[in-house]
Amino acid sequence: MRKNLVASIAFLLASSTAVLAQSATDGKVKIGILNDQSGVYADFGGKSSVEAAKMAVEDFGGKVLGVPVEIVDADHQNKADIASNIARQWYDTEQVDAIMELTTSSVALAVQAIAKEKKKIDIVTGAATTDLTGKACSPYGFHWAYDTHALAVGTGGALVKQGGDSWFFLTADYAFGYSLEQQTTDYVKASGGTVVGSVRHPLSSQDFSSFLLQAQSSGAKVIGLANAGLDTSNAIKQAAEFGITQGGQHLAALLFTLAEVHGLGLEAAQGLTLTEGFYWNRDDESRAFAKKFFARTGKMPNMIHTGTYSAVTQYLKAVQKAGTDETDAVAKLLHEMPVDDVFGRGGTVGANGRMIHDMYLLQVKKPSESKEPWDYFNVLATIPGKEAYIDPAKSGCDLVK
């Protein structure tokens, strides 16, 4: 009997070990959505990105490896120190397996450094700096929806081709703005254009008058708005008051999405050229996704929302395929697995963590051209992923051999 008992216990232990090898390390999978929910980028991502993440979990079945998937979220207030404190708490004491969205480049860089230290996954959909997959790259860090290089190639490239060969930049005074200005400057100069000057403004500025006067007096054909969210919207509104576009200068909204166009209105936004990684009215699949999203949020999704849906979905696919949520196993598969969903069709992930997918050059319609609510864009061109993004071998990431 004793031998039989020992044999039974050994069998049970072996069985338990086998089950654990094919399950979540702590009996659950937990994903954190960390972004701006109350400030200048609240419409850009915000609570709608949280809903996109929850949609992804529900569409996946609510579980992976037989355990529930939980979404938690927090507002980092666009402050890297607050974001860092939340990230450490989530990773250290709340069993969060991956943090995603991470609007604001300074925040994303800070959290990615912590994720690297803790050997945890982060997938950025809301921030733009190419440093995330360049000098600050991480084996556990991924950049999903867009970046400053893709925006420069799209909007910057289009305007230079249309004759906008002299530029002045109005730039948000932090990592994202610097990166977007530099990437666009490089592309403008490589295309034969010139940059006559730039000015930097604080995040969440209310008064752009002095900055716009400098841009106006520069005589540049294009005023590049290297900012985002309400900062871009406010700059465009105030530019109209100064008669800047009426005077013949063109405004280039270098990071402007469907959410901001909706907030600004077609009357004010018409004619703007911009670049996004997703447009809801592109085809039947995107329209079906957008209809579900609208039912939950009351708005149509932009590339941040849909990119977050894609990132959560791909992470869960990697966990399922790996048979574990252990970081190294999941990160390896995230680098290897193709991305094929409503957002990242035919996407691939480079050794630097950059997800390479097509981008879309868009122009805001005139009010008379819009056929239904949220029908705001004409698709001018599709920019192939290999053109939109930096070759991983040239990104400056030390992980690329």
Side-chain angles (χ1 to χ4, degrees):
M1 287 182 64
R2 183 174 295 175
K3 287 182 179 180
N4 289 338
L5 179 60
V6 170
S8 298
I9 291 171
F11 174 77
L12 289 171
L13 287 172
S15 299
S16 298
T17 301
V19 170
L20 285 171
Q22 290 293 317
S23 67
T25 52
D26 53 11
K28 61 186 172 184
V29 171
K30 200 170 183 180
I31 299 169
I33 304 300
L34 184 56
N35 61 6
D36 176 13
Q37 300 180 4
S38 57
V40 67
Y41 301 137
D43 287 336
F44 181 74
K47 283 289 189 180
S48 295
S49 287
V50 178
E51 288 302 312
K54 290 179 178 178
M55 272 182 65
V57 172
E58 291 170 15
D59 289 349
F60 200 80
K63 292 183 177 182
V64 64
L65 305 179
V67 301
V69 180
E70 182 181 354
I71 298 293
V72 295
D73 68 276
D75 183 355
H76 60 48
Q77 302 173 48
N78 293 311
K79 296 177 180 178
D81 58 342
I82 291 176
S84 296
N85 288 337
I86 293 169
R88 288 187 184 278
Q89 180 180 336
W90 277 359
Y91 284 144
D92 289 344
T93 66
E94 298 189 22
Q95 293 80 50
V96 169
D97 299 292
I99 298 178
M100 303 187 192
E101 221 269 38
L102 295 168
T103 306
T104 314
S105 291
S106 54
V107 164
L109 288 166
V111 173
Q112 180 155 293
I114 292 168
K116 183 178 182 180
E117 171 196 334
K118 302 290 185 182
K119 292 190 66 175
K120 294 285 189 176
I121 299 287
D122 74 277
I123 305 181
V124 177
T125 58
T129 178
T130 53
D131 284 351
L132 288 160
T133 50
K135 63 183 181 182
C137 69
S138 162
Y140 312 117
F142 300 87
H143 202 178
W144 218 251
Y146 71 105
D147 65 21
T148 51
H149 187 270
L151 300 176
V153 170
T155 308
L159 291 174
V160 172
K161 289 176 182 177
Q162 292 171 11
D165 55 4
S166 63
W167 286 62
F168 184 97
F169 288 97
L170 198 150
T171 302
D173 192 12
Y174 74 105
F176 151 70
Y178 312 151
S179 181
L180 185 52
E181 179 186 332
Q182 186 60 57
Q183 295 283 347
T184 309
T185 293
D186 292 346
Y187 202 82
V188 167
K189 289 182 176 179
S191 302
T194 60
V195 174
V196 300
S198 66
V199 63
R200 292 175 176 176
H201 69 82
L203 182 66
S204 302
S205 293
Q206 298 300 314
D207 184 3
F208 285 88
S209 56
S210 64
F211 309 123
L212 288 167
L213 285 171
Q214 290 181 62
Q216 188 176 38
S217 63
S218 74
K221 294 179 182 177
V222 179
I223 300 173
L225 302 177
N227 49 22
L230 289 177
D231 280 342
T232 305
S233 297
N234 288 334
I236 292 170
K237 289 176 185 176
Q238 292 172 39
E241 297 171 6
F242 284 97
I244 286 178
T245 55
Q246 294 91 324
Q249 290 174 296
H250 190 101
L251 293 177
L254 295 170
L255 177 50
F256 210 54
T257 76
L258 185 77
E260 290 75 53
V261 172
H262 182 73
L264 191 59
L266 283 184
E267 189 65 40
Q270 61 181 306
L272 282 173
T273 303
L274 57 101
T275 304
E276 278 218 59
F278 176 83
Y279 180 40
W280 76 269
N281 208 10
R282 182 181 61 194
D283 55 31
D284 289 343
E285 184 184 11
S286 59
R287 283 187 283 270
F289 172 83
K291 184 178 179 180
K292 289 175 62 178
F293 185 85
F294 186 87
R296 301 175 71 115
T297 65
K299 63 177 69 173
M300 290 299 187
N302 63 12
M303 64 179 171
I304 314 305
H305 307 137
T306 316
T308 301
Y309 176 93
S310 171
V312 172
T313 300
Q314 193 74 358
Y315 174 77
L316 294 176
K317 287 180 179 178
V319 170
Q320 185 72 56
K321 187 171 183 179
T324 178
D325 61 355
E326 192 276 323
T327 299
D328 283 306
V330 174
K332 182 176 184 294
L333 286 172
L334 284 171
H335 280 102
E336 294 174 354
M337 290 168 52
V339 182
D340 195 9
D341 54 36
V342 68
F343 177 78
R345 295 173 180 171
T348 59
V349 178
N352 61 345
R354 174 69 256 174
M355 201 271 273
I356 299 169
H357 58 92
D358 292 348
M359 298 289 287
Y360 302 95
L361 181 65
L362 307 167
Q363 187 170 53
V364 180
K365 291 182 175 182
K366 298 176 181 178
S368 60
E369 295 175 320
S370 180
K371 298 177 182 178
E372 60 181 307
W374 297 89
D375 175 33
Y376 294 160
F377 295 147
N378 289 312
V379 180
L380 300 181
T382 298
I383 306 164
K386 289 185 178 180
E387 293 179 18
Y389 295 104
I390 299 171
D391 182 342
K394 300 177 181 178
S395 65
C397 173
D398 59 12
L399 298 173
V400 183
K401 296 182 173 59

